[in-house]
Structure formats: structure tokens, C-alpha cells
Amino acid sequence: MDAPVVPDWLHILSLVSLALGVLCALIIAIDVIRHPQQMWIMDVVWPTTALFGSIWVVWQYFSYGRLATQENMRVAKSHDAQPPNKRQTPFAIMVANGSLHCGSGCTLGDIVAEWLAFGFPAIAVAFGWKSIFSEKVFAVWILDFLLAYGFGILFQYFTIAPMRGLSLGQGLIAAVKADTISITSWQVGMYGFMAFANFYIFRHVLGTRLEVDSPEFWFMMQIAMLFGFVTSYPANWWLLSRGLKEKM
């Protein structure tokens, strides 16, 4: 049942996809160091989301994310003009940017949670493994959500509070209002695909387990994050159109 029967092509594809994600993240990270974003938190968001979005996120960053650099903002301000990111970015892309902003927190939270539970199984036990859940993955998903939510709210705070001039308490409340639905909808898509990958593709089709310390696990997580983007996109459209999230 648990013999390593992952096909060579899947193993190679996983390694290539992960390497591409890291390369794309490095490309963006180098660029944001040279051309910092107006909102410093976006210097973290763009390379983080490139870990799963790779070429697509690189395109979106250089096509639209680069419009929101400190340089461009200074030039616009000196000419008393609207910032180029507000003027040249279609609403649909603004929604995508907002979804990626949410997804970056989810990505970091999920990475930290998965490795914590892998390195210290007692954490998964504390979240219900062996007592409430026979499957470790369900206990880890609780930790995943808590950390993803924490990172997501923190990221949203550092977006909303400076733009609206809010105090710490006001900023946190606004961040919770802005990102709770977005984060939850992202995690639903991510969990849905990971359940499919764990219990159908690997357990049923391949006859093995999907382990955290394997390239295949993180390749599946890359795909799962794309599903998270899709399920969170409508929520972010609604949040931006209602003014509950800031346009980026």
C-alpha cells in the first residue's frame, strides 16, 4: 500500500515545477529589491506567490505590479497625477492582485504549518490526530488554516492601515473584515484539491502516500494554490467592489 510507486515522470515534473517556482520567485525578489513597491508588504507578496504561480505571476508582476513602485508613485505625485497602478490596471487584474495578496499569507501559513507538523508530530496530535481524526492530514489542516489566517490578516493590516491612516486596533478590525472571507475561500479551494490528491491520486490510483518531505507533495500544493486562487477570486471581486479591500 505504502510502497514508493510514484512514476518517474511525475517525480521529474514535480522537481521541474518546484525549480521553476523558485527561479521565478528569485527573479521577482531581485527586481523588488531594485524597485521597491509603494506598499512594502507587496515586496513579500509577489515573490511568495511566484512560488506556485511561477511564469503567470512573473507576467502579472512585470505587467502590472511594477506600476506600483515607489519610483512611479513619486513621479505621479510630482506631476499631481493619479498613480499609474490605479490608472492602467483593469479591475479584473486588481482583483487578481488582491487574491494573490491573500494567497501569499495562505502560502506562508501552509508552508510553516506543514513543516511544523512534519517535524513535530505532537503538534498534529494536539490538533486532534489520533483522538478526533484518524488521518493526520485533517488535524494539520486546522493548523494550516490558523497560520494562514494569521499571516493573511497581518498582510492585510499592513496594506489597509497605512492607506487609510488607521490605528492598530482599527487596522486589525478592518483587516479581519477584508480578508476573512477571502482567506476562507482560498483555503477551501486548496483543501479540496489536496484532498483529491491525497486520497484519490496517491492513495487510490498510485497506491502510496503523499508525504510532506517529497517533491510530489509540494507540486500538488502548487496546484492546490491555483485552485485556492480560483475559489477566492469571486470573493475578492465582491470585497473590492464593496470597498472592503483596497485596490492594488
Side-chain angles (χ1 to χ4, degrees):
M1 172 69 177
D2 297 327
V5 292
V6 175
D8 289 341
W9 67 264
L10 180 55
H11 184 70
I12 293 171
L13 180 60
S14 299
L15 291 173
V16 170
S17 182
L18 292 172
L20 181 60
V22 171
L23 176 61
C24 290
L26 286 174
I27 289 171
I28 295 179
I30 291 170
D31 196 76
V32 295
I33 290 172
R34 297 175 59 196
H35 306 282
Q37 295 273 293
Q38 174 68 11
M39 291 187 294
W40 70 265
I41 196 65
M42 295 304 291
D43 294 340
V44 179
V45 169
W46 286 113
T48 298
T49 53
L51 290 171
F52 66 83
S54 59
I55 295 173
W56 154 47
V57 173
V58 168
W59 169 83
Q60 188 159 316
Y61 167 74
F62 282 102
S63 298
Y64 297 102
R66 266 289 213 99
L67 297 174
T69 62
Q70 292 178 9
E71 308 147 77
N72 286 336
M73 296 298 182
R74 279 196 298 267
V75 171
K77 187 175 182 179
S78 68
H79 289 83
D80 197 25
Q82 188 180 34
N85 63 312
K86 302 290 186 182
R87 188 174 66 251
Q88 300 176 33
T89 306
F91 184 73
I93 298 296
M94 290 183 178
V95 174
N97 290 343
S99 299
L100 289 176
H101 183 280
C102 158
S104 62
C106 293
T107 299
L108 290 176
D110 291 333
I111 290 173
V112 172
E114 293 293 344
W115 282 115
L116 275 177
F118 177 80
F120 305 95
I123 294 176
V125 173
F127 280 93
W129 182 35
K130 298 182 179 179
S131 57
I132 301 174
F133 309 110
S134 60
E135 293 285 350
K136 181 181 179 183
V137 64
F138 297 127
V140 177
W141 281 356
I142 297 176
L143 179 61
D144 278 350
F145 183 84
L146 292 175
L147 289 184
Y149 189 74
F151 275 110
I153 295 303
L154 187 66
F155 279 26
Q156 191 59 235
Y157 169 81
F158 284 114
T159 299
I160 286 182
M163 293 181 75
R164 299 183 185 176
L166 302 177
S167 66
L168 176 61
Q170 292 172 328
L172 288 175
I173 291 172
V176 169
K177 289 180 179 178
D179 248 24
T180 297
I181 295 174
S182 180
I183 291 168
T184 302
S185 59
W186 182 288
Q187 292 296 102
V188 166
M190 189 273 286
Y191 290 156
F193 180 80
M194 286 306 290
F196 178 74
N198 269 284
F199 299 113
Y200 182 75
I201 297 176
F202 282 81
R203 295 277 187 91
H204 180 71
V205 177
L206 299 178
T208 188
R209 288 182 178 271
L210 187 57
E211 301 292 354
V212 173
D213 60 342
S214 68
E216 293 77 24
F217 178 89
W218 294 104
F219 176 46
M220 293 298 107
M221 281 290 279
Q222 284 182 314
I223 299 173
M225 292 300 172
L226 297 178
F227 274 83
F229 175 86
V230 171
T231 54
S232 71
Y233 189 90
N236 279 282
W237 188 291
W238 182 79
L239 289 165
L240 263 71
S241 64
R242 293 290 298 271
L244 295 173
K245 287 186 75 168
E246 294 295 330
K247 295 176 180 178
M248 290 176 279

